[in-house]
Amino acid sequence: MHNNVTLKRSLGLWSIVMLGLGYMAPMALFDTFGIVSGSTDGHVPVAYAIALIAMLFTAFSYGRMVKVYPSAGSAYTYTQKTMNPHLGFLVGWSSLLDYLLLPMVNTLLSQIYLSAIFPGVPKWIWVVAFVLVITCANIWSLTSIAKFNSLLVLYQVLIVVFFIILSVKELMHGAGYGSVLASGPLYDPDMRISALVIGATVLCFSFLGFDAVTTYSEETTNPAATIPKAIFLTALIGGLLFIIGSYFAHAVFPDVASFNDPDAASPEIALYVGGKVFQLFFLAASFASTVASGLSSHASVSRLLYVMGRDNVLPNKLFGYVHPRLRTPVVNIILVGLISMTALFFNLETASSFISFGALIAFTFVNLSVIVHYAWRRKMYSTVPAFLSHIVIPTIGAIFVFVLWFNLEHNSFMLGLGWAALGMIYLMYVTKGFRVSSVNVNIQFEEAG
């Protein structure tokens, strides 16, 4: 089954950004609003701003590393090349956990939405139908996915814009703080820094996905220049949408205790500001977000599997295969589809609690990779800009990620450790107890510019 066909380079900057935003799901800001409003004493936009700043440091590190290694392997490749092939495998293996579970979580979310609309239809039908559509779309073409994904993201952004317009109308009629330019969501004398940090820690997980754009590097024209811009723009645009949207949500709803269910307040928010018609379009946008995230996450993990297969750390004949006509990693895409089918046996709370371990592993080692590659190996720290870029910024990024580790959900941590242990056992097997290299890298990368 092995072949020498490569992925097709066809994506430009904004296609990549839209895939990244689709992965992040802009509508998620309404899903987390009620929860984070309670933990931050009603200062969600400030917590989002802190989270955005924290994530931009790590986004900068991704941008530095993709200039050196424009590979779809992302953190796996960076760690493998800068530190150690075995360590790189373990980072890639750990990242796989999140990448594999997110398509399944999106499948679960879609099943929940569709079952609510069509309660008479058996739930398993929605799971099977959603997985088949997402899988077939990924097999056909990443370019087509990027175009359709852009429409889904633009629809979500449009709904957020309409929400802001409707919120302005409500505020001008005395709702909430009664002012479009209210200081309450942003500052009050009793603000607690500790509460804001806790809220920001939760919200940082809303940014998981800006890093996924690196997995499209080998399908991007001029990736060394395009991908760093796409990473930054994805994080920045997503962050600004979160901050502005949550500001108006809090301005209209200063007290989340007024909701029947503060932890799932988005339908009530939509109903209050725009009535039944807007609520319908709002819920459609929530479903669109799961489709967009489903498409993007499915594409991302299949690319990571492809690179690990190409490097022979996973069986090359299966995972390194690219369809000669479609130029997509068909076997990986089908495998991810089969894993997504496990949504039939999970509930949303359990599945969601497993996600984040792999992302934090990737964030940690990308920041460390910058320091090792640029500062330790290449001694690029003698000037102020180089010292900031190659030591200060990645160190701050690593510190922010360290804070996230302390707030990681217990189930995610324990499952992550178990998954990492399986990876270690597999690695010991393929390397005969670390006596031989597990990696046979077929592509060499050089820094651009």
Side-chain angles (χ1 to χ4, degrees):
M1 204 171 190
H2 173 70
N3 64 356
N4 295 314
V5 182
T6 59
L7 300 172
K8 182 180 179 181
R9 293 195 183 276
S10 59
L11 300 177
L13 174 62
W14 287 105
S15 294
I16 298 291
V17 171
M18 288 299 184
L19 283 165
L21 289 174
Y23 200 114
M24 287 174 66
M27 291 297 291
L29 80 92
F30 299 106
D31 296 326
T32 56
F33 173 74
I35 302 168
V36 180
S37 183
S39 63
T40 60
D41 301 325
H43 299 98
V44 182
V46 181
Y48 263 124
I50 294 171
L52 173 60
I53 292 168
M55 287 296 98
L56 283 177
F57 283 98
T58 296
F60 180 86
S61 291
Y62 270 98
R64 293 302 297 159
M65 292 313 301
V66 81
K67 282 181 175 291
V68 193
Y69 306 115
S71 163
S74 192
Y76 151 73
T77 298
Y78 311 152
T79 309
Q80 176 206 95
K81 287 288 199 175
T82 60
M83 299 183 197
N84 179 273
H86 301 320
L87 183 60
F89 168 80
L90 291 174
V91 170
W93 179 269
S94 298
S95 299
L96 272 176
L97 182 63
D98 281 11
Y99 277 114
L100 286 169
L101 287 177
L102 190 58
M104 187 262 282
V105 169
N106 283 306
T107 302
L108 263 173
L109 283 168
S110 297
Q111 176 258 302
I112 290 168
Y113 287 132
L114 291 167
S115 294
I117 299 171
F118 306 102
V121 178
K123 292 180 179 180
W124 67 267
I125 290 178
W126 297 126
V127 171
V128 173
F130 184 83
V131 171
L132 283 175
V133 169
I134 297 296
T135 302
C136 290
N138 267 277
I139 288 172
W140 181 252
S141 166
L142 184 60
T143 306
S144 299
I145 286 175
K147 290 177 181 177
F148 183 57
N149 190 84
S150 296
L151 294 176
L152 295 174
V153 171
L154 289 172
Y155 177 58
Q156 293 177 69
V157 172
L158 192 63
I159 291 299
V160 174
V161 170
F162 270 108
F163 168 77
I164 292 170
I165 293 170
L166 292 168
S167 296
V168 169
K169 179 183 174 183
E170 291 295 322
L171 290 168
M172 291 176 68
H173 285 84
Y177 279 105
S179 172
V180 175
L181 299 175
S183 61
L186 304 175
Y187 174 79
D188 73 56
D190 299 322
M191 285 174 65
R192 295 180 297 124
I193 297 297
S194 59
L196 293 174
V197 171
I198 290 171
T201 301
V202 174
L203 294 174
C204 276
F205 297 120
S206 298
F207 288 84
L208 302 185
F210 77 84
D211 61 313
V213 304
T214 57
T215 61
Y216 309 125
S217 294
E218 293 180 42
E219 288 153 288
T220 305
T221 53
N222 192 13
T226 302
I227 295 293
K229 293 177 186 176
I231 294 168
F232 181 80
L233 286 171
T234 299
L236 182 63
I237 293 171
L240 290 176
L241 281 171
F242 291 150
I243 292 168
I244 296 170
S246 62
Y247 167 83
F248 282 99
H250 185 57
V252 178
F253 305 101
D255 183 9
V256 294
S258 61
F259 296 124
N260 292 324
D261 184 2
D263 289 351
S266 58
E268 291 182 72
I269 291 173
L271 181 63
Y272 182 86
V273 300
K276 282 284 187 182
V277 174
F278 178 69
Q279 185 187 47
L280 181 64
F281 283 101
F282 185 94
L283 294 175
S286 296
F287 177 68
S289 74
T290 66
V291 176
S293 186
L295 288 167
S296 300
S297 58
H298 201 120
S300 294
V301 67
S302 62
R303 271 66 185 173
L304 178 56
L305 287 168
Y306 160 71
V307 175
M308 295 180 78
R310 185 181 65 195
D311 290 352
N312 284 315
V313 297
L314 294 176
N316 184 297
K317 287 185 178 181
L318 287 176
F319 295 98
Y321 176 79
V322 176
H323 192 279
R325 183 173 63 84
L326 300 174
R327 305 277 292 277
T328 56
V330 171
V331 175
N332 299 339
I333 292 167
I334 293 172
L335 174 63
V336 176
L338 292 174
I339 293 171
S340 299
M341 287 287 190
T342 60
L344 292 165
F345 313 108
F346 281 90
N347 61 52
L348 184 60
E349 183 178 359
T350 302
S352 299
S353 70
F354 290 151
I355 291 180
S356 293
F357 181 91
L360 294 187
I361 287 284
F363 289 177
T364 300
F365 279 92
V366 169
N367 283 305
L368 294 177
S369 293
V370 173
I371 297 171
V372 171
H373 178 79
Y374 286 101
W376 183 48
R377 288 191 170 179
R378 303 186 64 175
K379 312 298 182 188
M380 294 175 64
Y381 51 73
S382 57
T383 66
V384 173
F387 184 76
L388 289 173
S389 297
H390 305 145
I391 296 179
V392 175
I393 290 176
T395 300
I396 294 173
I399 291 170
F400 276 125
V401 176
F402 188 67
V403 173
L404 294 181
W405 275 113
F406 274 98
N407 291 274
L408 187 63
E409 212 279 342
H410 178 73
N411 285 344
S412 181
F413 188 74
M414 297 310 296
L415 179 69
L417 286 180
W419 178 258
L422 286 175
M424 178 63 77
I425 293 168
Y426 174 78
L427 182 63
M428 291 179 69
Y429 169 74
V430 298
T431 61
K432 296 179 172 58
F434 302 114
R435 290 194 298 272
V436 298
S437 174
S438 64
V439 182
N440 178 23
V441 182
N442 299 314
I443 297 177
Q444 300 296 320
F445 301 101
E446 295 180 0
E447 183 174 7

